[in-house]
Amino acid sequence: MKRLKRQFVTDEKDTQTDVGLIQHLMSKNSEEVSFLSLYSHQASAIYSDRKLMEFFEFKMWISMSIDDDLIKLGELLISLQKYMVGKRFLLLIDNVWNLKKERDMLFKNLLSMRCKQGSKVILITCATKISDLPDPILLKILCKLPIRTVFACKCVSKEWCTLIEDPIFPKLHLGQATFCPIFRTIEPISWPSCLHMLEVIKTTDLDQPLKLHSKLLPPDVSFLHSTCSKFETPKFGVVNSCNGLLCVCTCPDNDPIYVWNPITGEYILTPEPERNPPHYSNYVVSGFGFSSKADQYRVMRAFGAVERGDISTIIVQVWTLGSRKWRTLSELFRWKDFGLKATHSRIFSRAPFRQSFCVLYLNGAVHWLATGGSSLIYICSFNFDQEKIIKLSLPESFNESEENRAIGNMRLGVLRDCLYVSDVRCYAHFELWVLKDYNDDKFSWTKEVIIDNFSVDIWPRGLYRPIKYLDNGDLLMFHPSNALVCYNPKEESFRYFKIGEADSEFDMIPHIPNLIRMKDVINLEGLQVEILNVRDGGEWSPQNLKEYTELALDEKNEDFISAAFSKIMEWN
């Protein structure tokens, strides 16, 4: 049963056009027999295609009435077996979706038949109700739904629940999901005991006031690795997001403590790192990503070894998700290799709640903005396959001798699976550059968006942080006035949505939600891994600390957002 479902799903490709469908049917998959599902008008359009006639050595359309059982079909296939064995065949079968048990037994026999690779069985439906849809089509629909809607669909029927709980569904859903903003407070008076997630697909989703009802509760764990004094309240930060998982760290030392799926609640604690040498800096540069070569999730932490009161060497350690200890790389680094300065320790200690060091994951590496000699600005990355530092150049204009260009006004991110960098000068002129070909050694950047707030006198000005393009083409961005901004590039128009009922500053983390279980992402043989869950409780819980339990987004005009931005600037 499981095998059949996976067999259906392996052939999910673009079949929106007749050309694309015919090309897909003529592909020679690794499986001998693979299954697809089509509506009758699609099947009629391609059945008489001349290319298919030449590609398939045996082709037949079997039409059954709704009242027929599969015994007749089985008898027919047995009689046709001598024509199909050893050949590449195409079978189109009508109306078999209402007899699932018998159908699966029949298809199991088809799978065991010896035939050429690339043979196809197309199951045709004239379904009028969604419950009558074939599993492959239903999976396509479910994979495009927001995560909260997917949870609701589990309650529709046992069959839907079985589809969603199949281990392959979370991987398919992750492939269709897009970034969602996760909000958390970053003020000392508002300890972030929870995160708030908002799923937005198009601008009209924000037409009505939305509560940030997806409240995600991080685990209450003892901060065993934190170097905070006993008089300080430990606070958590987020290193970065990768494939729906969050790496959570301590504040202010930025040391990773666990990897967590905020949707399922599952998390795995990091082991306590070895302190070698014994004299080390309290702050850590860390990143979380995926090694496709090893098929493993990994966390990187880099810290400075202190010699004679100064930091001379950077030690890098790597932890594989589920392993029992950190692995220290043999290669030693300097701060300049990371594009950072030792003075970052003072930055972290003075502003423990702010995102002073922004890390993002893309293409097997974590990336951050860096500075070199003569104020040169570039992108530094740590590749989890090679476990080396790699440098990427920025657009040439970023290192021209222009005033008001600073690394603090730049942001890194991902749009449409491409790396982007944005820059704001004088809190007014916004530029968005996209690296469309990540593997291009020349690093050819394309300027995609320009917002000149000076010329059109638009507020709020400041550090827009792009999140994603919505379905209707609007660019969704976060603004430090605790607001989401929808920008229409064609009309050059704005809409502002303020996080209401909050007097603290918020941080935003782009995150792709998913339902993947931790046991399915650990690739370590012969090792038992302790997987915990938020619902299991914890040893430590904060007392008398403020947290917002209900937050909502309300659309506001420019004057309101401008006043809110001015208020936050006064706090800073």
Side-chain angles (χ1 to χ4, degrees):
M1 190 75 176
K2 292 277 185 182
R3 183 187 172 193
L4 286 173
K5 286 184 179 177
R6 292 176 185 229
Q7 191 70 37
F8 295 145
V9 176
T10 51
D11 291 304
E12 296 283 326
K13 288 189 178 181
D14 182 18
T15 58
Q16 298 300 315
T17 64
D18 293 344
V19 175
L21 177 57
I22 291 171
Q23 291 177 348
H24 176 51
L25 289 173
M26 295 176 62
S27 63
K28 297 180 181 179
N29 303 331
S30 58
E31 300 85 4
E32 290 185 352
V33 182
S34 55
F35 295 82
L36 297 92
S37 57
L38 297 177
Y39 290 109
S40 55
H41 70 277
Q42 292 176 300
S44 300
I46 57 94
Y47 185 68
S48 58
D49 184 80
R50 183 176 300 176
K51 293 181 179 179
L52 289 182
M53 294 284 290
E54 298 174 354
F55 182 77
F56 291 102
E57 299 166 287
F58 181 85
K59 189 173 69 166
M60 178 172 285
W61 188 319
I62 303 174
S63 182
M64 299 181 61
S65 69
I66 296 177
D67 297 328
D68 286 340
D69 58 26
L70 293 184
I71 296 178
K72 294 181 180 178
L73 178 61
E75 293 174 348
L76 177 60
L77 290 177
I78 291 174
S79 63
L80 293 174
Q81 200 170 24
K82 60 182 179 180
Y83 301 104
M84 299 163 61
V85 171
K87 296 181 180 180
R88 185 182 301 111
F89 62 81
L90 172 66
L91 287 181
L92 294 88
I93 308 175
D94 274 330
N95 299 317
V96 293
W97 290 104
N98 56 334
L99 299 169
K100 290 196 173 183
K101 183 176 180 181
E102 295 87 348
R103 182 197 71 208
D104 291 340
M105 292 178 61
L106 175 67
F107 294 162
K108 187 176 181 180
N109 292 331
L110 278 173
L111 285 171
S112 63
M113 186 184 297
R114 294 181 179 179
C115 56
K116 284 187 179 180
Q117 289 185 351
S119 296
K120 302 290 192 304
V121 177
I122 297 180
L123 307 172
I124 304 168
T125 179
C126 301
T128 57
K129 297 185 297 183
I130 193 169
S131 58
D132 296 331
L133 289 175
D135 289 351
I137 293 178
L138 186 56
L139 278 171
K140 278 187 176 181
I141 296 172
L142 293 174
C143 287
K144 295 179 181 295
L145 297 178
I147 201 76
R148 285 183 61 84
T149 309
V150 170
F151 276 115
C153 289
K154 292 180 66 175
C155 304
V156 172
S157 67
K158 289 183 179 180
E159 292 182 353
W160 285 28
C161 185
T162 301
L163 279 176
I164 294 171
E165 290 184 348
D166 192 293
I168 200 170
F169 176 78
K171 299 177 182 178
L172 294 172
H173 188 272
L174 180 63
Q176 298 285 338
T178 60
F179 282 107
C180 297
I182 286 182
F183 302 98
R184 72 180 183 104
T185 56
I186 53 175
E187 289 297 318
I189 61 172
S190 302
W191 180 78
S193 63
C194 67
L195 305 175
H196 300 270
M197 187 180 74
L198 179 68
E199 291 184 277
V200 182
I201 298 177
K202 53 186 179 299
T203 310
T204 52
D205 293 340
L206 299 169
D207 284 346
Q208 297 179 354
L210 287 177
K211 286 187 177 180
L212 304 184
H213 40 249
S214 296
K215 188 170 66 173
L216 310 173
L217 299 175
D220 285 345
V221 299
S222 299
F223 284 48
L224 300 175
H225 310 161
S226 178
T227 56
C228 297
S229 70
K230 62 181 180 179
F231 300 105
E232 294 183 68
T233 302
K235 302 171 179 65
F236 79 86
V238 176
V239 176
N240 66 282
S241 171
C242 173
N243 296 341
L245 303 177
L246 289 176
C247 182
V248 177
C249 63
T250 59
C251 282
D253 45 9
N254 204 43
D255 213 353
I257 50 175
Y258 57 83
V259 173
W260 170 48
N261 186 333
I263 302 300
T264 65
E266 294 181 328
Y267 66 99
I268 298 177
L269 295 171
T270 65
E272 185 172 2
E274 297 180 2
R275 306 298 186 179
N276 185 23
H279 301 289
Y280 57 91
S281 59
N282 291 340
Y283 62 98
V284 175
V285 173
S286 52
F288 170 55
F290 180 73
S291 169
S292 58
K293 184 177 180 180
D295 192 24
Q296 295 173 336
Y297 285 87
R298 294 175 177 175
V299 179
M300 176 272 294
R301 64 187 299 272
F303 59 94
V306 180
E307 296 180 8
R308 297 180 181 179
D310 191 15
I311 298 175
S312 60
T313 304
I314 300 301
I315 298 174
V316 177
Q317 295 179 331
V318 175
W319 173 66
T320 299
L321 184 65
S323 63
R324 295 176 179 174
K325 64 179 182 178
W326 292 85
R327 173 170 49 87
T328 302
L329 302 186
S330 57
E331 184 178 357
L332 298 178
F333 299 88
R334 303 281 180 177
W335 275 123
K336 65 179 182 180
D337 298 322
F338 281 73
L340 302 171
K341 299 178 181 179
T343 53
H344 273 71
S345 60
R346 301 189 186 96
I347 296 176
F348 282 118
S349 62
R350 283 205 311 265
F353 309 100
R354 307 190 186 287
Q355 195 173 6
S356 56
F357 184 71
C358 178
V359 177
L360 70 93
Y361 170 81
L362 179 68
N363 292 337
V366 285
H367 304 73
W368 60 90
L369 287 167
T371 56
S374 304
S375 300
L376 180 69
I377 303 175
Y378 57 94
I379 297 173
C380 224
S381 70
F382 181 84
N383 185 282
F384 286 97
D385 282 337
Q386 304 174 21
E387 296 186 340
K388 292 185 178 296
I389 299 293
I390 300 174
K391 298 179 181 180
L392 291 76
S393 61
L394 287 171
E396 293 182 3
S397 62
F398 273 58
N399 286 300
E400 295 175 356
S401 55
E402 299 182 14
E403 295 182 357
N404 304 314
R405 189 184 290 278
I407 193 172
N409 292 342
M410 300 178 186
R411 293 292 182 268
L412 279 179
V414 178
L415 284 174
R416 294 170 176 165
D417 297 325
C418 295
L419 184 67
Y420 80 76
V421 59
S422 64
D423 181 37
V424 177
R425 282 171 286 167
C426 301
Y427 287 93
H429 186 79
F430 173 86
E431 294 179 359
L432 175 66
W433 294 75
V434 177
L435 184 63
K436 295 186 177 181
D437 187 357
Y438 186 88
N439 297 316
D440 182 8
D441 294 336
K442 297 180 180 180
F443 300 112
S444 301
W445 294 83
T446 303
K447 187 184 292 187
E448 194 161 286
V449 177
I450 299 176
I451 302 175
D452 192 350
N453 287 349
F454 267 152
S455 61
V456 295
D457 195 25
I458 292 176
W459 277 91
R461 299 167 181 168
L463 304 176
Y464 298 116
R465 185 178 180 188
I467 303 172
K468 66 176 179 179
Y469 281 103
L470 303 179
D471 285 358
N472 58 352
D474 285 1
L475 179 59
L476 183 68
M477 301 183 287
F478 178 72
H479 188 269
S481 58
N482 293 344
L484 288 179
V485 179
C486 285
Y487 174 68
N488 187 312
K490 293 183 179 179
E491 301 177 1
E492 297 185 354
S493 59
F494 292 82
R495 294 180 68 185
Y496 306 101
F497 302 89
K498 182 77 169 61
I499 300 177
E501 303 176 6
D503 57 1
S504 296
E505 190 175 354
F506 282 80
D507 185 21
M508 188 280 301
I509 304 130
H511 178 71
I512 299 178
N514 78 69
L515 294 166
I516 292 179
R517 297 293 183 90
M518 283 293 186
K519 65 181 180 64
D520 295 327
V521 299
I522 296 174
N523 187 19
L524 293 172
E525 296 183 0
L527 185 64
Q528 291 185 346
V529 181
E530 185 178 15
I531 300 174
L532 305 174
N533 199 294
V534 172
R535 290 180 288 274
D536 297 337
E539 303 175 6
W540 178 83
S541 60
Q543 307 247 341
N544 301 321
L545 291 171
K546 179 181 177 183
E547 178 56 52
Y548 299 106
T549 56
E550 292 292 339
L551 293 175
L553 279 179
D554 296 313
E555 186 165 7
K556 301 294 183 181
N557 57 32
E558 296 174 1
D559 293 337
F560 186 94
I561 300 294
S562 177
F565 181 59
S566 299
K567 183 177 180 181
I568 290 178
M569 293 298 289
E570 291 176 2
W571 295 344
N572 295 335

